[in-house]
């Protein structure tokens, strides 16, 4: 998918008008997509990852994606390079000190997120909003790590970020109306559609999506049908653009397993028990596109 929604200008007069520079922590699939989206909308972006190699890889990916969009949409020759120039890469969270909002997009690991938010809470100015792109971990729990729980919120972007219009905006228990209002306004400036969601395991998107993927894995494990048949039923019978097993490969089987574990633990219902096949594949390193093999064999992302 390479079609990109044309975002609004970074110039604005709403609650988020003061946001000019945004920090993005994590340069993986979601992080580089978020950075690209903000930069395309005219924001300056500080993209932080743990090593120069990861930062360079993220910037190279963004460059390739921008070139692809430029060709498809026939952009002027200087537009893609000018967008890329708005993104500065670094390996220290100190780079976020001058940002007006920071989006964390690291792996779905609470211990790692704790480290990131403890540091961001220390290095950023008191009024800066700290957002998480977590797909399942409690915003309330993340907020409690900081001394500004009222200024912590979830911004759950969908993959691929430059294309997908939805952003789930998740309120933690302490999230203030002012924080929500600014985040909602900022999301609209990106050309996205914000949807307000309260802080429950999996929020809305993954509470519905992941059990479907998990059940598809059960169907495969129990021999109900083959992988292509399962995906074809959902595409042709339910009008889904992609079958659940192919979608799991795109998301990452490790991410799917992590979210199912959060749902199972957080909601305490056996219907959220992760499929043993899914767990076995993750243990084998079959993670989907990121590893080159999942439910399908595919080119490594």
């Amino acid at each position: 998918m390479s079609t990109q929604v044309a975002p609004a200008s970074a110039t604005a007069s709403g609650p988020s008008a003061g946001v000019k520079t945004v920090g993005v922590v994590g340069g993986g699939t979601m992080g580089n997509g978020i950075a690209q989206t903000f930069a395309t909308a005219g924001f300056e972006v500080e993209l932080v990852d743990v090593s120069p190699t990861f930062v360079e890889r993220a910037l190279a990916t963004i460059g390739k994606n921008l070139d692809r969009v430029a060709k498809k949409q026939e952009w002027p020759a200087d537009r893609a390079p000018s967008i890329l120039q708005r993104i500065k890469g670094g390996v220290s969270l100190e780079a976020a000190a001058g940002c007006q909002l920071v989006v964390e997009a690291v792996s779905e690991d609470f211990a790692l997120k704790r480290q990131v938010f403890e540091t961001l809470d220390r290095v950023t100015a008191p009024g800066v909003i700290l957002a998480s792109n977590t797909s399942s971990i409690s915003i309330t729990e993340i907020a409690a790590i900081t001394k500004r729980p009222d200024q912590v919120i979830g911004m759950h972007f969908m993959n691929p970020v430059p294309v997908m219009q939805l952003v789930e905006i998740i309120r933690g228990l302490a999230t203030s109306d002012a924080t929500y209002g600014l985040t909602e306004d900022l999301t609209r400036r990106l050309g996205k559609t914000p949807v307000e969601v309260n802080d429950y395991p999996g929020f809305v998107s993954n509470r519905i999506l992941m059990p479907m993927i998990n059940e598809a894995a059960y169907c495969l494990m129990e021999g109900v049908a083959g992988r292509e048949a399962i995906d074809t039923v959902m595409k042709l019978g339910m009008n889904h653009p992609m079958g659940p097993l192919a979608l799991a490969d795109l998301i990452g089987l490790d991410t799917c397993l992590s979210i199912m574990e959060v749902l199972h633990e957080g909601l305490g219902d056996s219907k959220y028990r992760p499929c043993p096949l899914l767990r076995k594949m993750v243990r084998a390193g079959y993670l989907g596109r990121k590893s080159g093999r999942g439910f399908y064999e595919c080119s490594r992302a």
Side-chain angles (χ1 to χ4, degrees):
M1 300 175 69
S2 57
T3 303
Q4 181 158 353
V5 177
S9 168
T11 303
S13 58
S16 68
V19 179
K20 307 295 183 185
T21 304
V22 173
V24 178
V25 182
T29 300
M30 296 304 294
N32 69 56
I34 293 168
Q36 177 183 330
T37 299
F38 273 105
T40 302
F43 294 87
E44 299 296 319
V45 179
E46 296 284 351
L47 177 61
V48 179
D49 212 319
V50 294
S51 74
T53 300
F54 289 163
V55 172
E56 290 167 11
R57 184 184 303 165
L59 292 174
T61 299
I62 294 169
K64 290 177 184 177
N65 290 340
L66 286 171
D67 287 343
R68 189 180 305 117
V69 176
K71 290 177 183 176
K72 185 174 182 64
Q73 299 190 1
E74 299 181 344
W75 283 358
D78 62 343
R79 186 176 179 192
S82 68
I83 292 171
L84 190 59
Q85 287 174 3
R86 295 191 192 110
I87 306 173
K88 297 183 179 67
V91 296
S92 172
L93 289 174
E94 300 285 344
C99 299
Q100 291 84 51
L101 180 141
V102 183
V103 181
E104 167 272 313
V106 302
S107 301
E108 285 292 279
D109 180 292
F110 182 73
L112 177 57
K113 291 183 188 294
R114 172 185 286 278
Q115 294 175 5
V116 169
F117 275 85
E118 285 177 343
T119 303
L120 289 175
D121 194 35
R122 186 176 68 252
V123 302
T124 58
V128 172
I129 289 175
L130 304 180
S132 176
N133 182 58
T134 180
S135 54
S136 60
I137 294 173
S138 169
I139 297 300
T140 299
E141 193 170 2
I142 291 172
I145 295 166
T146 74
K147 297 177 181 177
R148 62 182 89 186
D150 60 317
Q151 294 165 225
V152 176
I153 196 165
M155 289 186 77
H156 182 206
F157 291 84
M158 304 293 126
N159 184 27
V161 180
V163 176
M164 302 295 281
Q165 280 202 282
L166 173 67
V167 180
E168 279 186 307
I169 309 296
I170 301 104
R171 284 181 179 265
L173 184 63
T175 303
S176 70
D177 289 344
T179 295
Y180 178 84
L182 186 150
T183 306
E184 180 185 56
D185 185 60
L186 183 69
T187 301
R188 295 191 190 281
R189 288 171 63 190
L190 295 175
K192 306 293 188 186
T193 300
V195 175
E196 182 177 357
V197 178
N198 287 318
D199 189 20
Y200 282 85
F203 316 132
V204 170
S205 58
N206 283 321
R207 184 166 175 175
I208 295 172
L209 173 63
M210 287 302 159
M212 181 187 72
I213 289 175
N214 197 53
E215 197 62 30
Y218 269 113
C219 285
L220 182 63
M221 183 183 76
E222 295 169 1
V224 177
R227 61 187 185 184
E228 290 87 357
I230 292 167
D231 280 353
T232 298
V233 166
M234 297 306 293
K235 287 190 293 182
L236 301 186
M238 313 305 166
N239 203 29
H240 291 191
M242 180 181 292
L245 298 177
L247 180 57
D249 280 354
L250 175 63
I251 294 169
L253 271 60
D254 53 339
T255 299
C256 294
L257 176 59
S258 175
I259 295 169
M260 285 307 302
E261 288 174 334
V262 168
L263 289 171
H264 192 212
E265 180 181 354
L267 297 170
D269 193 318
S270 61
K271 71 181 179 182
Y272 298 111
R273 181 173 69 93
C275 176
L277 175 61
L278 178 61
R279 194 180 296 280
K280 184 184 294 186
M281 293 177 72
V282 171
R283 286 174 177 165
Y286 299 168
L287 307 182
R289 292 192 186 183
K290 68 176 77 175
S291 68
R293 182 172 182 177
F295 289 109
Y296 294 86
E297 294 72 36
C298 44
S299 299
R300 186 166 183 158

